Amino acid sequence: MKLTAKTLLLILSLYPAATLVAQAQVKPKSSAFPSQIQHVVVIFQENRTPDNLFHFLPSQCTIPSGASGLAACMPSPVTTSCYDISPCGLSNESGSPLPVTLTAVPLSGSTDPSHAHTAWNQMCDPDPTNGYACKNDGAWQIKQSAGVSNPTSYAYVSSPKVTNYDGSKGHLLDPYITYATQYGWANFMYQTNQGPSYPAHQFIFSGTSAISAANDAASTFISENYKNNKNGVGCLAGAKTTTTQISPLLGTLGANCTAYDNNSVEECLFTNTALTKSNPVGSFCDTKPNMGEVLDGQNVTWKYYAPSAGSIWTAPNSIQDICVPQFSNPPKNTLLECTGTEWNANVDLNLKGADVLNDITNCNLASVSWIIPDGTWSDHAGLGDKYGPSWVTAIINEIGQNPPCTSGIDNGQTFWNNTAIIVTWDDWGGWSDNQPTIIESALPCTSSNCQGDYQLGFRVPLVVVSAYTPADYIDNGNYDFGSILRTIEGIYGIPEGTMGLADARSTTDLSNFFTGSARTYTFVPAVEPPSYFLGEEAQKGAPVPPDDDGDDD
C-alpha cells in the first residue's frame, strides 16, 4: 500500500519527538544509492531542449541515411555510447513532415517561443489515428517574440568564444558540455507537464500541479501560468488573478474552455473566487502533498532558494501549510504574504537566491535543496541572460572545491563526497526537439483517470554530477521530474512513490547515475566566478522576473 504524505505525517505524529528523531537518524538508505550521499541539490534552470542547448555535445547519434517522414530528424540507433542530439526538427507546414535545419540563436536576447499548453499541442500535432501520439512536426506554428531576429523554434543556442574568469579561453556553453560529458547525461528526460513554468515548478516540488491529491487523481491540473499576477501567485494571488485548469472532458464543453484530443480534454478558466477580504486562503492555495512535508515528517532538512516570494518559480508559495497566507495591508486586505514557520525556515529569498553560495561556504547546506535562478542567470530565452552556465558552474565548483566542514552533521566531510547534484530545465521552452512526447495514458480520455491529458511533456536536458557518477555516462532510460522526487525519497530511506503523485507514476529513479567509484572533482572554468552572483552588479535592482512579455514562461 502506498502511503500519502499526509498519512505518513499522521503516523509519525503518534510517536514521541525523541523517538521520531532517532528513527529518522537510523532509517536505512536504499542500497541503490551510495551510502555516503547526505545532500541532494536540484538546480532548476529554464526553458530548453537537448537539441536546443546541447547542440555541441560530441559523439552524437546519427540519423540513418535516407530517413524521411516522421523519422527524418531522429537519430537511430540511440545507444549508451552516443548523445541523442539532432541538427534538425520536423515541420508539416507544407502538408507533410519535412526536416528543418536548426539555426543558431544567442543565449541572450533571442526569440522567446510560447511554451503554453497550446504551444505544446501545436508542436505535438496529436495523431488521432494513433492514439493521439505526437507526430512532433508542428513547432512552426508556435508564437514567437516580436521584434527579434530569426524568430523561429527551429534553433540551437550558439556558443561564442569567451575568456573565463581564470584567464582561460573557451566557449560560453563549455561548462554544460563538460558536465554532461564528464559526469552523467540522460538521453530521454522529459518534463512531466505539457506546458509552462508554474506547473513545472509545482511538479518538481510536489509531484503535481493539481491543487489537491483528489484533483490529481481526477487528472485535473493547473496547466498554465497566471494572469493579473503582479502581487504573486498561488497563496499570494490577488482576487483578480486567474489561471487555467485542464481535465478530462466527460460531458459538455464548459464556458471559457478550450477542447483538445477529440473533445475529450478541456482547459478552462480558473478564478480566485475563494479569496475574500475576510478569508486570505484563495482558490489557488493548495492542500496537496509535497516533498517539503514528506521531508519534514522524516526529520530531513530542506531549503528552497528563489529570487522572490510571489514568483511562478517559487513553488512553496502555493502550499497552504507552508505559506500560511495572511493579509499584509489591513484593513484593505488586498495584499498577501506568507507567514508560515516552514516558509520562514526553509524558503530563502536572500541575495536573489544566491544565498546558497554562502550556505555552501559556511557548511550550512540542507539535506535537500531546490535552487531557482534569477531571470538573468536562468537560461530563459528573451531575457538579457548570458550567465546561466556561470551560475550552474558556480554552485557545482563551490560544492566540488569546498574544504572539509568543521562542525555539524558534515563535520570532517566534504560536500563533494556526500552530495548528489541534479541539473535540469523546467520546460522545453517552445524549442524544437527530435523526440516526441511520451503520453502518460491512452487518449482520448474516457474517464477521470486520464493522466495523459497533461503528462508527459517534451524532453529537457538532465545532467547528474557527483563523486560517484562515471565519466561520460549516458543513460537511455525514460525519466521525468517524478524520477527526481523518487531519487530524493530513495536517498533518505523513504519508500519511493510515497506521495502517490508523479513520484508514484514514474517508474525510475536516478540510481543508475551513481554506480562509479569515488573520484576527485576537477575545477570547471566559466565566464563569471561565484563571487559575481553575490556582488554589486548581480545584486543591483529587483529580481528579474521570469518573463519580459507577460504571456508565458
Side-chain angles (χ1 to χ4, degrees):
M1 180 182 72
K2 290 186 175 69
L3 296 177
T4 66
K6 290 189 175 179
T7 303
L8 189 61
L9 287 174
L10 178 61
I11 293 172
L12 291 168
S13 69
L14 300 176
Y15 289 86
T19 303
L20 176 60
V21 172
Q23 287 182 342
Q25 290 173 340
V26 301
K27 196 166 183 79
K29 179 178 308 203
S30 169
S31 60
F33 297 95
S35 60
Q36 298 93 331
I37 298 295
Q38 296 183 27
H39 300 276
V40 178
V41 170
V42 180
I43 303 174
F44 211 37
Q45 294 292 103
E46 286 292 309
N47 297 22
R48 300 291 174 178
T49 66
D51 287 358
N52 172 257
L53 189 59
F54 284 82
H55 175 84
F56 296 100
L57 275 173
S59 304
Q60 296 180 10
C61 308
T62 57
I63 300 170
S65 177
S68 61
L70 297 179
C73 290
M74 293 181 66
S76 182
V78 176
T79 72
T80 55
S81 299
C82 62
Y83 297 95
D84 184 359
I85 303 295
S86 177
C88 65
L90 293 178
S91 170
N92 66 358
E93 186 174 9
S94 67
S96 59
L98 296 173
V100 176
T101 300
L102 305 186
T103 57
V105 296
L107 180 62
S108 174
S110 75
T111 184
D112 179 16
S114 173
H115 25 285
H117 181 66
T118 299
W120 176 89
N121 196 72
Q122 289 171 331
M123 179 163 155
C124 170
D125 186 21
D127 183 356
T129 68
N130 187 28
Y132 291 87
C134 287
K135 290 188 285 186
N136 199 26
D137 58 3
W140 63 273
Q141 303 174 83
I142 293 176
K143 177 185 175 183
Q144 305 292 324
S145 300
V148 298
S149 60
N150 195 22
T152 176
S153 289
Y154 298 95
Y156 66 87
V157 177
S158 61
S159 188
K161 293 180 179 180
V162 296
T163 300
N164 296 312
Y165 72 86
D166 67 347
S168 64
K169 302 294 184 180
H171 296 84
L172 180 64
L173 299 181
D174 281 355
Y176 287 157
I177 303 302
T178 298
Y179 286 124
T181 56
Q182 293 303 307
Y183 297 96
W185 167 267
N187 270 332
F188 300 101
M189 169 68 180
Y190 300 86
Q191 70 172 106
T192 307
N193 65 302
Q194 299 167 356
S197 286
Y198 173 82
H201 284 74
Q202 294 302 308
F203 272 98
I204 198 68
F205 185 69
S206 299
T208 186
S209 64
I211 64 172
S212 67
N215 272 27
D216 181 271
S219 310
T220 300
F221 304 97
I222 291 183
S223 54
E224 305 288 5
N225 295 329
Y226 289 79
K227 294 183 178 179
N228 302 316
N229 65 340
K230 65 177 182 179
N231 294 326
V233 303
C235 297
L236 302 181
K240 295 182 180 180
T241 301
T242 63
T243 184
T244 61
Q245 285 191 127
I246 200 165
S247 61
L249 172 54
L250 305 177
T252 304
L253 182 67
N256 299 309
C257 298
T258 301
Y260 298 98
D261 302 323
N262 194 31
N263 293 318
S264 74
V265 174
E266 63 179 349
E267 186 178 39
C268 300
L269 181 68
F270 185 22
T271 59
N272 200 5
T273 55
L275 183 69
T276 67
K277 290 186 179 296
S278 60
N279 175 33
V281 181
S283 304
F284 314 132
C285 200
D286 303 347
T287 59
K288 63 192 174 194
N290 59 86
M291 188 53 70
E293 181 183 54
V294 172
L295 295 175
D296 287 339
Q298 295 295 311
N299 203 42
V300 176
T301 60
W302 63 275
K303 192 168 274 192
Y304 194 102
Y305 298 90
S308 59
S311 170
I312 59 173
W313 294 351
T314 308
N317 66 23
S318 298
I319 310 298
Q320 182 178 335
D321 290 344
I322 294 176
C323 176
V324 188
Q326 298 292 335
F327 290 113
S328 62
N329 65 333
K332 290 184 178 181
N333 288 358
T334 55
L335 300 177
L336 291 153
E337 62 181 351
C338 292
T339 66
T341 300
E342 290 297 289
W343 175 271
N344 291 328
N346 298 328
V347 179
D348 190 338
L349 308 176
N350 296 314
L351 299 170
K352 301 180 181 178
D355 199 31
V356 63
L357 298 172
N358 289 327
D359 282 347
I360 295 169
T361 299
N362 296 327
C363 283
N364 194 33
L365 197 61
S367 296
V368 181
S369 301
W370 289 265
I371 302 175
I372 310 303
D374 182 71
T376 52
W377 48 84
S378 68
D379 296 327
H380 193 297
L383 300 176
D385 173 7
K386 59 183 179 181
Y387 300 109
S390 292
W391 166 246
V392 172
T393 305
I395 298 166
I396 301 176
N397 274 341
E398 289 295 278
I399 290 172
Q401 298 180 299
N402 205 55
C405 297
T406 58
S407 62
I409 63 171
D410 297 297
N411 186 29
Q413 302 182 56
T414 65
F415 283 144
W416 176 244
N417 285 329
N418 70 9
T419 301
I421 304 168
I422 301 167
V423 187
T424 192
W425 281 253
D426 73 332
D427 69 58
W428 93 111
W431 300 106
S432 172
D433 191 69
N434 79 83
Q435 287 293 330
T437 291
I438 297 174
I439 304 299
E440 187 78 21
S441 63
L443 294 170
C445 293
T446 57
S447 73
S448 61
N449 183 19
C450 189
Q451 297 290 325
D453 66 350
Y454 195 56
Q455 298 168 81
L456 298 172
F458 289 108
R459 286 198 309 169
V460 291
L462 173 71
V463 178
V464 177
V465 178
S466 81
Y468 313 98
T469 305
D472 201 22
Y473 175 71
I474 302 173
D475 192 288
N476 283 334
N478 291 332
Y479 298 101
D480 74 304
F481 299 153
S483 307
I484 296 174
L485 298 175
R486 291 177 71 91
T487 298
I488 294 170
E489 292 165 340
I491 285 175
Y492 295 102
I494 301 166
E496 294 189 17
T498 283
M499 291 190 296
L501 305 170
D503 61 330
R505 290 189 285 271
S506 177
T507 59
T508 54
D509 60 29
L510 302 179
S511 56
N512 287 347
F513 290 82
F514 301 96
T515 59
S517 300
R519 57 191 176 115
T520 58
Y521 181 73
T522 300
F523 167 80
V524 174
V527 173
E528 297 292 349
S531 59
Y532 170 83
F533 299 98
L534 300 170
E536 181 178 355
E537 181 179 350
Q539 293 299 322
K540 68 182 177 183
V544 174
D547 194 83
D548 60 356
D549 61 8
D551 57 4
D552 54 68
D553 294 289

